[in-house]
Amino acid sequence: MVNLVALQQPLLHGLMKMAGVRPYAVEIEPCTVMNFWVPNETLNKPKKGEKPAMVSGPTKPVVVLIHGFAAEGIVTWQFQVGALTKRYSVYVPDLLFFGGSSTDNPDRSPTFQAECVAAGLRKLGVERCAVVGFSYGGMVAFKLAELYPDLVESMVVSGSILAMTCSVSDATMERLGFSSSSELLLPSSVKGLKALLSVAAHKKLYFPDRLHKDFLEVMFTHRKERAELLEALVIDTKDPTIPKFPQRIHLLWGENDQIFNQELAHNMKVQLGENATFEGIKKAGHLVHLERPCVYNRCLKRFLASLQHEEDGAPKKGQ
């Protein structure tokens, strides 16, 4: 029987190409390859049967969109890419063990993911960028900003936290009624996927069981490695050290997020200090960028535009 989700993938890929991005595999190190969706104009038009080659770096301010745990890059950000490509060079990485990205390196930490994203962006000619991270991708984005302040000039984070401590993980899973993060984020049945969607979305989503089953088959691959990613995500420290981020950080939240609620977001804003701002979106849960994409995009573009205005108004060196 045809998998309906797999059947839709070529359509989504075509829509992304029309929106202005194409896939490009970057070798980070031997046996580590990370797939990026990159601006069309940075690649040549290969002959049939040939792989594309990079011909230039970005031509506009760069925005990097980092996905969460339940789906690869363009599935997560399908409603944001087209809204941004007119004014920005958009890059969408597939984190390791998502999409076409893989490694034989045993390191499963968010730090290694961030290092690979940074290495990939450098090879693609990106020198400075704004990073948008959702959920698991937000934690990778925080690591990216911490390790590479010369690369990351600003951040937008949705439905995420600085670090997943044992206490936060245990409290979150107990509140949601799950025994572990793997039970929540790596469902193996239609019932489990429905449970995940019920806590991730504000409004109840209805899909036939057939579609849930097909989504499980296509999106939840590399189960062993992804379980290891979740294990490596949790740290023992009760109160992790909060880095001093020089970047502006905008927390863009669904006000009805059940996984990482507004209280966590407001506490994080206080911890991050004066460079952090918070904005809530009504009638939206954890999947805020998918539930209310028009509002999310408007808020995102407003923040990105404010950065550009600040940059344009800043005194030049030597003045």
Side-chain angles (χ1 to χ4, degrees), residues 184-242:
L184 171 64
L185 295 171
L186 280 175
S188 57
S189 65
V190 169
K191 181 180 178 181
L193 180 55
K194 286 182 176 181
L196 170 58
L197 292 174
S198 71
V199 299
H202 170 53
K203 293 183 178 179
K204 186 175 181 179
L205 303 174
Y206 174 77
F207 299 109
D209 287 354
R210 163 79 186 281
L211 204 57
H212 284 97
K213 183 175 180 293
D214 289 351
F215 189 88
L216 280 170
E217 289 180 2
V218 173
M219 291 299 164
F220 289 91
T221 57
H222 298 292
R223 299 185 69 87
K224 174 180 176 293
E225 292 83 0
R226 292 192 193 182
E228 292 167 354
L229 292 176
L230 288 175
E231 288 178 18
L233 193 61
V234 180
I235 59 176
D236 292 331
T237 309
K238 183 178 180 182
D239 296 308
T241 302
I242 308 299

Short mmCIF file of all heavy atoms in Angstrom, two decimals, residues 184-242:
data_model
loop_
_atom_site.label_atom_id
_atom_site.label_comp_id
_atom_site.label_asym_id
_atom_site.label_seq_id
_atom_site.Cartn_x
_atom_site.Cartn_y
_atom_site.Cartn_z
N LEU A 184 7.42 9.99 24.90
CA LEU A 184 6.71 11.13 24.32
C LEU A 184 7.15 11.40 22.89
O LEU A 184 6.31 11.53 21.99
CB LEU A 184 6.95 12.38 25.17
CG LEU A 184 6.45 13.72 24.59
CD1 LEU A 184 4.93 13.72 24.46
CD2 LEU A 184 6.91 14.88 25.46
N LEU A 185 8.46 11.48 22.66
CA LEU A 185 9.00 12.00 21.40
C LEU A 185 9.34 10.94 20.37
O LEU A 185 9.63 11.27 19.22
CB LEU A 185 10.24 12.86 21.70
CG LEU A 185 9.97 14.13 22.51
CD1 LEU A 185 11.27 14.78 22.93
CD2 LEU A 185 9.11 15.10 21.72
N LEU A 186 9.34 9.67 20.78
CA LEU A 186 9.61 8.58 19.84
C LEU A 186 8.46 7.57 19.87
O LEU A 186 8.66 6.40 20.21
CB LEU A 186 10.93 7.89 20.17
CG LEU A 186 12.21 8.58 19.70
CD1 LEU A 186 13.43 7.83 20.23
CD2 LEU A 186 12.26 8.66 18.18
N PRO A 187 7.26 8.00 19.53
CA PRO A 187 6.13 7.08 19.57
C PRO A 187 6.32 5.93 18.58
O PRO A 187 6.90 6.11 17.51
CB PRO A 187 4.95 7.96 19.17
CG PRO A 187 5.55 9.07 18.37
CD PRO A 187 6.88 9.33 18.99
N SER A 188 5.83 4.76 18.97
CA SER A 188 5.96 3.58 18.10
C SER A 188 4.60 3.07 17.63
O SER A 188 4.52 2.05 16.95
CB SER A 188 6.70 2.46 18.85
OG SER A 188 6.03 2.14 20.06
N SER A 189 3.54 3.78 18.00
CA SER A 189 2.20 3.35 17.63
C SER A 189 1.35 4.57 17.28
O SER A 189 1.71 5.72 17.60
CB SER A 189 1.53 2.60 18.80
OG SER A 189 1.33 3.48 19.90
N VAL A 190 0.24 4.32 16.62
CA VAL A 190 -0.69 5.40 16.29
C VAL A 190 -1.17 6.07 17.57
O VAL A 190 -1.27 7.30 17.65
CB VAL A 190 -1.88 4.85 15.48
CG1 VAL A 190 -3.00 5.89 15.37
CG2 VAL A 190 -1.42 4.41 14.10
N LYS A 191 -1.44 5.29 18.60
CA LYS A 191 -1.88 5.83 19.89
C LYS A 191 -0.83 6.77 20.46
O LYS A 191 -1.15 7.85 20.98
CB LYS A 191 -2.18 4.69 20.86
CG LYS A 191 -2.68 5.17 22.22
CD LYS A 191 -2.95 3.98 23.15
CE LYS A 191 -3.41 4.46 24.52
NZ LYS A 191 -3.66 3.32 25.44
N GLY A 192 0.45 6.36 20.39
CA GLY A 192 1.53 7.19 20.92
C GLY A 192 1.69 8.49 20.15
O GLY A 192 1.92 9.55 20.74
N LEU A 193 1.55 8.43 18.81
CA LEU A 193 1.66 9.64 18.00
C LEU A 193 0.50 10.58 18.29
O LEU A 193 0.68 11.81 18.38
CB LEU A 193 1.69 9.28 16.52
CG LEU A 193 1.82 10.46 15.53
CD1 LEU A 193 3.03 11.32 15.84
CD2 LEU A 193 1.86 9.95 14.10
N LYS A 194 -0.69 10.04 18.47
CA LYS A 194 -1.84 10.87 18.82
C LYS A 194 -1.61 11.56 20.17
O LYS A 194 -1.97 12.73 20.36
CB LYS A 194 -3.11 10.04 18.86
CG LYS A 194 -3.65 9.63 17.50
CD LYS A 194 -4.94 8.83 17.65
CE LYS A 194 -5.55 8.49 16.30
NZ LYS A 194 -6.82 7.73 16.43
N ALA A 195 -1.02 10.84 21.11
CA ALA A 195 -0.74 11.42 22.43
C ALA A 195 0.26 12.56 22.31
O ALA A 195 0.12 13.61 22.97
CB ALA A 195 -0.21 10.34 23.37
N LEU A 196 1.29 12.38 21.46
CA LEU A 196 2.27 13.44 21.25
C LEU A 196 1.60 14.67 20.66
O LEU A 196 1.81 15.80 21.13
CB LEU A 196 3.38 12.94 20.32
CG LEU A 196 4.37 14.00 19.80
CD1 LEU A 196 5.06 14.73 20.94
CD2 LEU A 196 5.39 13.35 18.86
N LEU A 197 0.78 14.48 19.63
CA LEU A 197 0.12 15.61 18.99
C LEU A 197 -0.87 16.31 19.92
O LEU A 197 -1.06 17.52 19.85
CB LEU A 197 -0.60 15.14 17.72
CG LEU A 197 0.31 14.69 16.57
CD1 LEU A 197 -0.52 14.11 15.43
CD2 LEU A 197 1.18 15.84 16.07
N SER A 198 -1.47 15.53 20.82
CA SER A 198 -2.46 16.12 21.73
C SER A 198 -1.83 17.10 22.71
O SER A 198 -2.46 18.06 23.13
CB SER A 198 -3.21 15.02 22.48
OG SER A 198 -2.38 14.40 23.45
N VAL A 199 -0.56 16.84 23.10
CA VAL A 199 0.10 17.78 24.01
C VAL A 199 0.89 18.85 23.26
O VAL A 199 1.20 19.90 23.82
CB VAL A 199 1.06 17.05 25.00
CG1 VAL A 199 0.29 16.07 25.85
CG2 VAL A 199 2.20 16.35 24.27
N ALA A 200 1.20 18.59 21.98
CA ALA A 200 2.00 19.55 21.21
C ALA A 200 1.14 20.65 20.59
O ALA A 200 1.62 21.76 20.37
CB ALA A 200 2.79 18.83 20.13
N ALA A 201 -0.12 20.33 20.29
CA ALA A 201 -0.98 21.29 19.62
C ALA A 201 -2.04 21.85 20.58
O ALA A 201 -2.51 21.15 21.47
CB ALA A 201 -1.67 20.63 18.43
N HIS A 202 -2.40 23.11 20.38
CA HIS A 202 -3.43 23.73 21.21
C HIS A 202 -4.81 23.19 20.85
O HIS A 202 -5.59 22.80 21.72
CB HIS A 202 -3.39 25.25 21.03
CG HIS A 202 -4.54 25.97 21.66
ND1 HIS A 202 -4.90 25.81 22.98
CD2 HIS A 202 -5.44 26.86 21.13
CE1 HIS A 202 -5.95 26.56 23.25
NE2 HIS A 202 -6.30 27.20 22.14
N LYS A 203 -5.10 23.17 19.55
CA LYS A 203 -6.37 22.64 19.08
C LYS A 203 -6.23 21.17 18.73
O LYS A 203 -5.18 20.73 18.25
CB LYS A 203 -6.86 23.41 17.86
CG LYS A 203 -7.23 24.86 18.15
CD LYS A 203 -7.77 25.55 16.90
CE LYS A 203 -8.19 26.98 17.20
NZ LYS A 203 -8.69 27.67 15.98
N LYS A 204 -7.28 20.42 18.98
CA LYS A 204 -7.24 19.00 18.65
C LYS A 204 -7.15 18.83 17.15
O LYS A 204 -7.90 19.40 16.37
CB LYS A 204 -8.51 18.31 19.18
CG LYS A 204 -8.47 16.81 19.01
CD LYS A 204 -9.67 16.14 19.66
CE LYS A 204 -9.60 14.62 19.50
NZ LYS A 204 -10.74 13.93 20.14
N LEU A 205 -6.16 18.01 16.75
CA LEU A 205 -5.95 17.75 15.32
C LEU A 205 -6.57 16.41 14.97
O LEU A 205 -6.36 15.41 15.67
CB LEU A 205 -4.45 17.73 15.00
CG LEU A 205 -3.66 18.99 15.38
CD1 LEU A 205 -2.17 18.77 15.14
CD2 LEU A 205 -4.15 20.19 14.57
N TYR A 206 -7.32 16.38 13.88
CA TYR A 206 -7.89 15.11 13.45
C TYR A 206 -7.24 14.65 12.14
O TYR A 206 -7.26 15.37 11.14
CB TYR A 206 -9.40 15.18 13.23
CG TYR A 206 -9.91 13.87 12.65
CD1 TYR A 206 -10.07 12.75 13.46
CD2 TYR A 206 -10.16 13.76 11.28
CE1 TYR A 206 -10.48 11.54 12.92
CE2 TYR A 206 -10.58 12.55 10.74
CZ TYR A 206 -10.72 11.44 11.57
OH TYR A 206 -11.11 10.25 11.04
N PHE A 207 -6.62 13.48 12.19
CA PHE A 207 -6.12 12.81 11.00
C PHE A 207 -6.55 11.36 11.08
O PHE A 207 -6.61 10.78 12.17
CB PHE A 207 -4.58 12.87 10.92
CG PHE A 207 -4.02 14.26 10.86
CD1 PHE A 207 -3.34 14.80 11.94
CD2 PHE A 207 -4.16 15.02 9.72
CE1 PHE A 207 -2.81 16.07 11.89
CE2 PHE A 207 -3.64 16.31 9.65
CZ PHE A 207 -2.97 16.83 10.74
N PRO A 208 -6.86 10.73 9.96
CA PRO A 208 -7.20 9.31 10.00
C PRO A 208 -6.01 8.48 10.47
O PRO A 208 -4.85 8.87 10.29
CB PRO A 208 -7.57 8.99 8.53
CG PRO A 208 -6.95 10.09 7.73
CD PRO A 208 -6.93 11.30 8.60
N ASP A 209 -6.30 7.34 11.09
CA ASP A 209 -5.23 6.47 11.60
C ASP A 209 -4.23 6.11 10.52
O ASP A 209 -3.03 5.96 10.80
CB ASP A 209 -5.83 5.19 12.20
CG ASP A 209 -6.51 5.45 13.54
OD1 ASP A 209 -6.42 6.60 14.04
OD2 ASP A 209 -7.14 4.52 14.08
N ARG A 210 -4.69 5.95 9.31
CA ARG A 210 -3.80 5.61 8.20
C ARG A 210 -2.69 6.65 8.04
O ARG A 210 -1.52 6.32 7.81
CB ARG A 210 -4.64 5.50 6.91
CG ARG A 210 -3.86 5.55 5.60
CD ARG A 210 -3.20 4.23 5.28
NE ARG A 210 -2.37 4.36 4.10
CZ ARG A 210 -2.81 4.37 2.84
NH1 ARG A 210 -4.11 4.25 2.60
NH2 ARG A 210 -1.96 4.46 1.83
N LEU A 211 -3.05 7.93 8.17
CA LEU A 211 -2.07 9.00 8.01
C LEU A 211 -1.09 9.01 9.18
O LEU A 211 0.12 9.25 8.99
CB LEU A 211 -2.78 10.35 7.89
CG LEU A 211 -2.01 11.46 7.18
CD1 LEU A 211 -1.61 11.04 5.77
CD2 LEU A 211 -2.85 12.74 7.12
N HIS A 212 -1.58 8.75 10.38
CA HIS A 212 -0.68 8.64 11.54
C HIS A 212 0.33 7.51 11.31
O HIS A 212 1.53 7.68 11.59
CB HIS A 212 -1.48 8.34 12.82
CG HIS A 212 -2.21 9.53 13.37
ND1 HIS A 212 -3.53 9.78 13.11
CD2 HIS A 212 -1.80 10.54 14.20
CE1 HIS A 212 -3.91 10.88 13.75
NE2 HIS A 212 -2.87 11.36 14.41
N LYS A 213 -0.13 6.39 10.85
CA LYS A 213 0.72 5.24 10.61
C LYS A 213 1.79 5.56 9.55
O LYS A 213 2.97 5.24 9.72
CB LYS A 213 -0.12 4.04 10.17
CG LYS A 213 0.65 2.75 9.94
CD LYS A 213 -0.32 1.62 9.61
CE LYS A 213 0.43 0.31 9.36
NZ LYS A 213 1.26 0.37 8.13
N ASP A 214 1.37 6.22 8.49
CA ASP A 214 2.31 6.58 7.43
C ASP A 214 3.35 7.58 7.92
O ASP A 214 4.53 7.51 7.56
CB ASP A 214 1.55 7.16 6.24
CG ASP A 214 0.74 6.10 5.50
OD1 ASP A 214 0.91 4.90 5.80
OD2 ASP A 214 -0.06 6.48 4.61
N PHE A 215 2.92 8.54 8.77
CA PHE A 215 3.84 9.53 9.33
C PHE A 215 4.89 8.83 10.20
O PHE A 215 6.07 9.16 10.15
CB PHE A 215 3.07 10.57 10.14
CG PHE A 215 3.90 11.75 10.57
CD1 PHE A 215 4.04 12.85 9.73
CD2 PHE A 215 4.54 11.77 11.80
CE1 PHE A 215 4.81 13.95 10.12
CE2 PHE A 215 5.30 12.85 12.20
CZ PHE A 215 5.44 13.95 11.35
N LEU A 216 4.45 7.87 11.00
CA LEU A 216 5.38 7.11 11.84
C LEU A 216 6.45 6.43 11.01
O LEU A 216 7.64 6.44 11.35
CB LEU A 216 4.62 6.07 12.67
CG LEU A 216 3.91 6.55 13.93
CD1 LEU A 216 3.02 5.44 14.47
CD2 LEU A 216 4.91 6.98 15.00
N GLU A 217 6.04 5.83 9.90
CA GLU A 217 6.98 5.08 9.07
C GLU A 217 8.01 6.00 8.41
O GLU A 217 9.19 5.63 8.29
CB GLU A 217 6.22 4.32 7.98
CG GLU A 217 5.41 3.13 8.50
CD GLU A 217 4.67 2.42 7.38
OE1 GLU A 217 4.81 2.83 6.21
OE2 GLU A 217 3.94 1.45 7.68
N VAL A 218 7.59 7.19 8.01
CA VAL A 218 8.48 8.08 7.26
C VAL A 218 9.33 8.96 8.16
O VAL A 218 10.53 9.14 7.91
CB VAL A 218 7.65 8.96 6.29
CG1 VAL A 218 8.53 10.02 5.63
CG2 VAL A 218 6.99 8.10 5.23
N MET A 219 8.75 9.50 9.22
CA MET A 219 9.43 10.52 10.02
C MET A 219 10.19 9.97 11.23
O MET A 219 11.07 10.65 11.75
CB MET A 219 8.41 11.57 10.49
CG MET A 219 7.88 12.44 9.37
SD MET A 219 9.20 13.37 8.57
CE MET A 219 8.38 13.86 7.05
N PHE A 220 9.86 8.78 11.68
CA PHE A 220 10.51 8.27 12.89
C PHE A 220 11.47 7.13 12.55
O PHE A 220 11.34 6.01 13.03
CB PHE A 220 9.47 7.84 13.92
CG PHE A 220 8.73 9.00 14.54
CD1 PHE A 220 7.55 9.47 13.98
CD2 PHE A 220 9.24 9.67 15.63
CE1 PHE A 220 6.88 10.55 14.52
CE2 PHE A 220 8.58 10.76 16.19
CZ PHE A 220 7.39 11.20 15.63
N THR A 221 12.44 7.45 11.70
CA THR A 221 13.50 6.52 11.36
C THR A 221 14.67 6.71 12.35
O THR A 221 14.61 7.57 13.23
CB THR A 221 13.99 6.78 9.93
OG1 THR A 221 14.41 8.15 9.82
CG2 THR A 221 12.86 6.53 8.93
N HIS A 222 15.71 5.90 12.20
CA HIS A 222 16.89 6.00 13.09
C HIS A 222 16.48 6.04 14.56
O HIS A 222 16.96 6.86 15.35
CB HIS A 222 17.72 7.25 12.77
CG HIS A 222 18.29 7.28 11.38
ND1 HIS A 222 19.27 6.42 10.94
CD2 HIS A 222 17.98 8.07 10.31
CE1 HIS A 222 19.57 6.68 9.68
NE2 HIS A 222 18.79 7.66 9.27
N ARG A 223 15.60 5.13 14.95
CA ARG A 223 15.03 5.18 16.30
C ARG A 223 16.11 4.98 17.37
O ARG A 223 16.09 5.64 18.42
CB ARG A 223 13.92 4.13 16.44
CG ARG A 223 12.75 4.35 15.48
CD ARG A 223 11.63 3.37 15.75
NE ARG A 223 10.99 3.65 17.01
CZ ARG A 223 9.97 4.50 17.17
NH1 ARG A 223 9.47 5.14 16.13
NH2 ARG A 223 9.45 4.72 18.35
N LYS A 224 17.03 4.07 17.15
CA LYS A 224 18.09 3.82 18.13
C LYS A 224 18.93 5.07 18.34
O LYS A 224 19.19 5.49 19.49
CB LYS A 224 18.98 2.66 17.66
CG LYS A 224 20.21 2.40 18.54
CD LYS A 224 21.02 1.25 17.99
CE LYS A 224 22.31 1.04 18.78
NZ LYS A 224 23.26 2.20 18.62
N GLU A 225 19.36 5.68 17.24
CA GLU A 225 20.21 6.87 17.34
C GLU A 225 19.44 8.05 17.94
O GLU A 225 20.00 8.82 18.73
CB GLU A 225 20.74 7.25 15.96
CG GLU A 225 21.74 6.27 15.37
CD GLU A 225 21.09 5.08 14.67
OE1 GLU A 225 19.83 5.03 14.64
OE2 GLU A 225 21.81 4.21 14.15
N ARG A 226 18.17 8.18 17.61
CA ARG A 226 17.40 9.29 18.18
C ARG A 226 17.16 9.10 19.67
O ARG A 226 17.13 10.08 20.43
CB ARG A 226 16.08 9.45 17.43
CG ARG A 226 16.26 9.93 16.00
CD ARG A 226 14.95 10.37 15.39
NE ARG A 226 15.05 10.53 13.94
CZ ARG A 226 14.07 10.94 13.17
NH1 ARG A 226 12.89 11.24 13.69
NH2 ARG A 226 14.24 11.06 11.86
N ALA A 227 17.00 7.86 20.10
CA ALA A 227 16.88 7.60 21.54
C ALA A 227 18.17 8.01 22.24
O ALA A 227 18.15 8.57 23.35
CB ALA A 227 16.58 6.12 21.78
N GLU A 228 19.31 7.77 21.59
CA GLU A 228 20.59 8.19 22.16
C GLU A 228 20.71 9.71 22.19
O GLU A 228 21.31 10.27 23.12
CB GLU A 228 21.73 7.57 21.33
CG GLU A 228 21.82 6.06 21.46
CD GLU A 228 22.73 5.41 20.43
OE1 GLU A 228 23.22 6.12 19.51
OE2 GLU A 228 22.96 4.19 20.53
N LEU A 229 20.16 10.40 21.18
CA LEU A 229 20.15 11.86 21.20
C LEU A 229 19.38 12.38 22.42
O LEU A 229 19.80 13.35 23.06
CB LEU A 229 19.51 12.41 19.92
CG LEU A 229 20.25 12.22 18.59
CD1 LEU A 229 19.40 12.73 17.44
CD2 LEU A 229 21.60 12.92 18.61
N LEU A 230 18.25 11.74 22.72
CA LEU A 230 17.46 12.16 23.87
C LEU A 230 18.19 11.90 25.18
O LEU A 230 18.14 12.72 26.10
CB LEU A 230 16.11 11.44 23.87
CG LEU A 230 15.11 11.87 22.80
CD1 LEU A 230 13.87 10.98 22.82
CD2 LEU A 230 14.71 13.34 22.98
N GLU A 231 18.87 10.78 25.26
CA GLU A 231 19.65 10.48 26.47
C GLU A 231 20.76 11.50 26.67
O GLU A 231 21.01 11.96 27.79
CB GLU A 231 20.26 9.07 26.36
CG GLU A 231 19.26 7.94 26.49
CD GLU A 231 19.91 6.57 26.33
OE1 GLU A 231 21.15 6.49 26.46
OE2 GLU A 231 19.20 5.59 26.06
N ALA A 232 21.42 11.88 25.59
CA ALA A 232 22.52 12.84 25.68
C ALA A 232 22.04 14.26 25.96
O ALA A 232 22.83 15.13 26.37
CB ALA A 232 23.33 12.82 24.38
N LEU A 233 20.76 14.49 25.75
CA LEU A 233 20.18 15.82 25.95
C LEU A 233 20.06 16.17 27.44
O LEU A 233 20.20 17.33 27.83
CB LEU A 233 18.80 15.87 25.30
CG LEU A 233 18.11 17.21 25.11
CD1 LEU A 233 18.95 18.12 24.21
CD2 LEU A 233 16.73 17.00 24.51
N VAL A 234 19.81 15.17 28.27
CA VAL A 234 19.56 15.39 29.70
C VAL A 234 20.88 15.47 30.45
O VAL A 234 21.74 14.59 30.32
CB VAL A 234 18.68 14.27 30.28
CG1 VAL A 234 18.43 14.52 31.77
CG2 VAL A 234 17.37 14.17 29.52
N ILE A 235 21.05 16.53 31.25
CA ILE A 235 22.26 16.70 32.05
C ILE A 235 21.91 16.57 33.53
O ILE A 235 20.81 16.86 33.95
CB ILE A 235 22.94 18.06 31.77
CG1 ILE A 235 21.98 19.22 32.09
CG2 ILE A 235 23.41 18.13 30.32
CD1 ILE A 235 22.63 20.59 31.93
N ASP A 236 22.90 16.13 34.32
CA ASP A 236 22.67 15.85 35.74
C ASP A 236 22.59 17.10 36.59
O ASP A 236 21.96 17.11 37.65
CB ASP A 236 23.78 14.94 36.29
CG ASP A 236 23.72 13.54 35.68
OD1 ASP A 236 22.61 13.11 35.33
OD2 ASP A 236 24.77 12.91 35.55
N THR A 237 23.23 18.18 36.15
CA THR A 237 23.30 19.40 36.95
C THR A 237 21.90 19.96 37.23
O THR A 237 21.09 20.11 36.32
CB THR A 237 24.13 20.48 36.22
OG1 THR A 237 25.38 19.91 35.83
CG2 THR A 237 24.38 21.67 37.12
N LYS A 238 21.65 20.26 38.49
CA LYS A 238 20.34 20.80 38.86
C LYS A 238 20.17 22.21 38.34
O LYS A 238 19.12 22.57 37.79
CB LYS A 238 20.16 20.78 40.38
CG LYS A 238 18.78 21.26 40.84
CD LYS A 238 18.64 21.17 42.35
CE LYS A 238 17.26 21.66 42.78
NZ LYS A 238 17.10 21.62 44.26
N ASP A 239 21.21 23.03 38.53
CA ASP A 239 21.17 24.42 38.06
C ASP A 239 22.35 24.66 37.12
O ASP A 239 23.45 25.01 37.56
CB ASP A 239 21.24 25.40 39.25
CG ASP A 239 20.04 25.27 40.17
OD1 ASP A 239 18.92 25.33 39.65
OD2 ASP A 239 20.23 25.12 41.39
N PRO A 240 22.15 24.47 35.82
CA PRO A 240 23.25 24.64 34.87
C PRO A 240 23.73 26.08 34.80
O PRO A 240 22.97 27.02 35.07
CB PRO A 240 22.63 24.22 33.53
CG PRO A 240 21.16 24.48 33.70
CD PRO A 240 20.87 24.18 35.15
N THR A 241 25.00 26.25 34.49
CA THR A 241 25.55 27.58 34.33
C THR A 241 24.94 28.24 33.11
O THR A 241 24.87 27.65 32.03
CB THR A 241 27.09 27.50 34.15
OG1 THR A 241 27.66 26.83 35.27
CG2 THR A 241 27.69 28.89 34.02
N ILE A 242 24.45 29.46 33.29
CA ILE A 242 23.83 30.20 32.19
C ILE A 242 24.91 31.00 31.48
O ILE A 242 25.53 31.87 32.08
CB ILE A 242 22.73 31.15 32.69
CG1 ILE A 242 21.72 30.40 33.58
CG2 ILE A 242 22.03 31.82 31.51
CD1 ILE A 242 21.00 29.28 32.90
#
